[in-house]
């Protein structure tokens, strides 16, 4: 059986880590790499990753040429969070007849939030007989798939609360910048206005995925404004120093309202210097469920794992735009990757 053939689309912080993880795994190989960053295009992938080995794959900004030559089974896509930005990228991959696993947050559950684009992409994927999935740690697992899985032992569910609290200082640098660490409060607010800080993208998608899994018809999904977490003392990560009074990160809440009541409540907090880290899911139902993962799952490690572990499941799935709630139970794919593929 041939190796599973992967093209990386986006060799940034996430794409690079996916590449390094793939290099450790059996039965899977990287056969192409696409990026637009000037410091990467034209370089050997090994060099772009900063590893001491040439890989014989040159990073290219020419999607058509890469995909025409690569005969890829799957594209690992990690360029942006917003569906309308990535739609043309996904369209081109799908039109080459290649499956997609993407980290795009808005792709994780687009049917409720961007129904027109979702339908279009679903049709296109079916036409070209490929599967498209948006996943990651969050959205993709902690605030949705894991919650849905826990409800499987409930006879009744009245209310769900999820809290993710993490020390942003342990995460990749683009993430620390994305949560505004090290900015003054006015800079933070300015960037929020210019949308260079967006808060956590995915709360709406996670709530919609949970609601649809439970067949709850929500009145609305409310997303509260992003708020800065202000450092009380000096805190730092390897990359960013935060003085007292500056922004250490952010906090954001969202809720799904059903029959006038808050029935799904999500609270996301990420800042440098968080004293504790946890993922907590509380289900008020029959039975009640209180689940706490402490410290919280490391977002970058978890994202890379989820992306790679879902590759065989995506290759094996029926064509279309799928979501994590449609895939088989997620699991680690520890063995030779070829073994999971039904050829
Ligand atoms: N669902 C989840 O749990 C999860 C977890 C982690 C990350 N994410 C998301 O995944 C995305 C990638 O994250 P990251 O940290 O790797 O970001 P990143 O470091 O900025 O990497 C993105 C890479 O893609 C390149 N790129 C941008 N537009 C492109 C295009 N049209 N064609 C080809 N390459 C393009 C960028 O080049 P330039 O630098 O030149 O723009 C950069 O090299 C982000 O949106 C992030 O929020 C989701």
């Amino acid at each position: 059986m041939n190796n599973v053939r992967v093209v990386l689309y986006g060799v940034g912080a996430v794409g690079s880590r996916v590449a390094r993880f793939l290099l450790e795994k059996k039965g899977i190989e990287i056969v192409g790499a696409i990026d637009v960053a000037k410091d990467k295009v034209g370089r050997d992938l090994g060099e772009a990753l900063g590893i001491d080995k040439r890989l014989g794959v040159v990073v290219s900004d020419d999607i058509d040429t890469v995909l025409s030559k690569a005969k890829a089974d799957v594209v690992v896509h990690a360029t942006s969070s917003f569906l309308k930005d990535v739609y043309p990228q996904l369209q081109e991959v799908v039109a080459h007849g290649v499956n997609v696993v993407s980290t795009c947050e808005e792709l994780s559950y687009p049917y409720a939030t961007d129904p027109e684009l979702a339908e279009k992409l679903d049709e296109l994927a079916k036409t070209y007989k490929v599967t498209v999935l948006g996943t990651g740690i969050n959205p993709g697992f902690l605030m949705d798939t894991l919650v849905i899985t826990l409800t499987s032992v409930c006879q009744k569910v009245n209310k769900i609360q999820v809290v993710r609290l993490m020390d942003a200082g342990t995460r990749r640098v683009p993430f620390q910048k994305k949560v505004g660490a090290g900015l003054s409060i006015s800079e933070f607010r300015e960037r929020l206005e210019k949308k260079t800080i967006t808060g956590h993208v995915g709360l709406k998608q996670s709530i919609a995925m949970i609601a649809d899994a439970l067949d709850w018809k929500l009145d609305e999904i409310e997303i509260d404004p992003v708020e800065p977490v202000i450092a009380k003392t000096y805190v730092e990560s390897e990359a960013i120093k935060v003085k007292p009074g500056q922004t250490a990160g952010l906090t954001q809440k969202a809720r799904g309202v059903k029959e006038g009541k808050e029935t799904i409540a999500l609270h996301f907090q990420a800042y440098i210097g968080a004293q504790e880290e946890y993922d907590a899911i509380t289900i008020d139902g029959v039975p009640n469920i209180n689940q706490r993962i402490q410290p919280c799952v490391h977002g970058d490690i978890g994202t890379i794992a989820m992306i790679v572990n879902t590759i065989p499941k995506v290759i094996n799935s029926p064509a279309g735009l799928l979501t994590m709630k449609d895939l088989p139970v997620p699991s680690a794919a520890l063995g030779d990757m070829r073994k999971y593929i039904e050829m």
Side-chain angles (χ1 to χ4, degrees):
M1 198 186 285
N2 295 327
N3 280 344
V4 178
R5 296 169 68 82
V6 181
V7 165
L8 304 169
Y9 195 147
V11 193
V14 170
S16 306
R17 286 173 196 204
V18 167
R20 284 193 210 101
F21 185 41
L22 287 175
L23 292 172
E24 292 169 15
K25 293 190 80 75
K26 265 201 179 150
I28 192 158
E29 63 182 305
I30 301 168
V31 293
I34 299 162
D35 204 292
V36 289
K38 286 199 178 78
D39 60 333
K40 291 174 196 139
V41 176
R43 294 175 77 191
D44 181 85
L45 179 62
E47 208 179 71
L49 297 177
I51 59 172
D52 196 16
K53 188 178 166 196
R54 289 181 72 78
L55 297 174
V57 169
V58 175
V59 181
S60 167
D61 56 3
D62 183 347
I63 305 154
D64 186 46
T65 305
V66 171
L67 293 178
S68 301
K69 284 190 187 154
K71 296 193 171 51
D73 298 302
V74 66
V75 159
V76 167
H77 173 266
T79 62
S80 160
S81 306
F82 304 104
L83 186 55
K84 69 173 178 7
D85 295 341
V86 303
Y87 188 83
Q89 301 163 18
L90 300 174
Q91 202 175 18
E92 192 157 7
V93 177
V94 169
H96 276 87
V98 184
N99 299 296
V100 182
V101 179
S102 173
T103 59
C104 172
E105 286 92 335
E106 287 190 350
L107 185 68
S108 64
Y109 203 71
Y111 287 106
T113 51
D114 294 282
E116 279 175 27
L117 278 185
E119 289 302 329
K120 246 171 89 176
L121 192 54
D122 183 49
E123 264 176 41
L124 196 72
K126 284 177 177 148
T127 304
Y128 286 94
K129 299 188 172 46
V130 297
T131 308
V132 177
L133 176 80
T135 190
I137 192 71
N138 183 34
F141 187 67
L142 288 169
M143 285 184 152
D144 39 55
T145 311
L146 179 59
V147 180
I148 291 168
T149 309
L150 288 172
T151 66
S152 60
V153 291
C154 294
Q155 295 179 1
K156 277 189 189 158
V157 177
N158 304 315
K159 184 174 174 176
I160 293 171
Q161 283 173 290
V162 187
V163 181
R164 175 156 170 78
L165 168 55
M166 72 176 103
D167 179 359
T170 65
R171 300 286 308 272
R172 64 192 193 283
V173 177
F175 180 85
Q176 297 179 33
K177 292 190 176 154
K178 222 162 69 166
V179 298
L183 300 177
S184 67
I185 300 174
S186 58
E187 280 169 334
F188 183 89
R189 300 232 178 262
E190 240 168 64
R191 289 195 197 186
L192 266 184
E193 230 162 75
K194 287 185 187 152
K195 295 194 168 39
T196 51
I197 291 179
T198 53
H200 175 66
V201 184
L203 293 170
K204 199 169 179 182
Q205 286 72 15
S206 292
I207 290 174
M209 196 195 301
I210 296 169
D212 282 354
L214 300 180
D215 196 24
W216 278 355
K217 301 280 167 272
L218 297 180
D219 310 338
E220 59 182 330
I221 296 175
E222 294 173 354
I223 311 288
D224 287 353
V226 180
E227 290 298 333
V229 174
I230 315 295
K232 291 195 178 84
T233 56
Y234 174 81
V235 289
E236 61 177 10
S237 68
E238 270 179 30
I240 296 179
K241 298 181 192 327
V242 186
K243 293 185 199 141
Q246 285 185 325
T247 303
L250 57 78
T251 174
Q252 192 172 17
K253 289 183 178 171
R255 67 198 61 76
V257 180
K258 181 172 157 277
E259 291 157 15
K261 286 191 199 139
E262 178 179 273
T263 46
I264 304 172
L266 306 188
H267 187 187
F268 176 88
Q269 299 167 82
Y271 53 94
I272 295 180
Q275 291 298 304
E276 56 174 354
E277 295 191 295
Y278 60 85
D279 292 299
I281 299 171
T282 310
I283 300 173
D284 167 351
V286 179
N288 293 323
I289 307 260
N290 288 297
Q291 186 250 14
R292 192 172 172 103
I293 304 172
Q294 193 155 17
C296 67
V297 179
H298 190 280
D300 299 333
I301 298 173
T303 297
I304 305 321
M306 181 60 88
I307 291 294
V308 173
N309 289 331
T310 51
I311 287 175
K313 294 188 195 296
V314 162
I315 294 176
N316 288 341
S317 289
L321 167 58
L322 301 189
T323 71
M324 286 299 287
K325 116 179 149 38
D326 311 312
L327 281 198
V329 178
S331 60
L334 299 179
D336 186 316
M337 292 295 266
R338 289 170 293 191
K339 152 174 131 182
Y340 302 99
I341 314 286
E342 298 151 6
M343 292 286 186

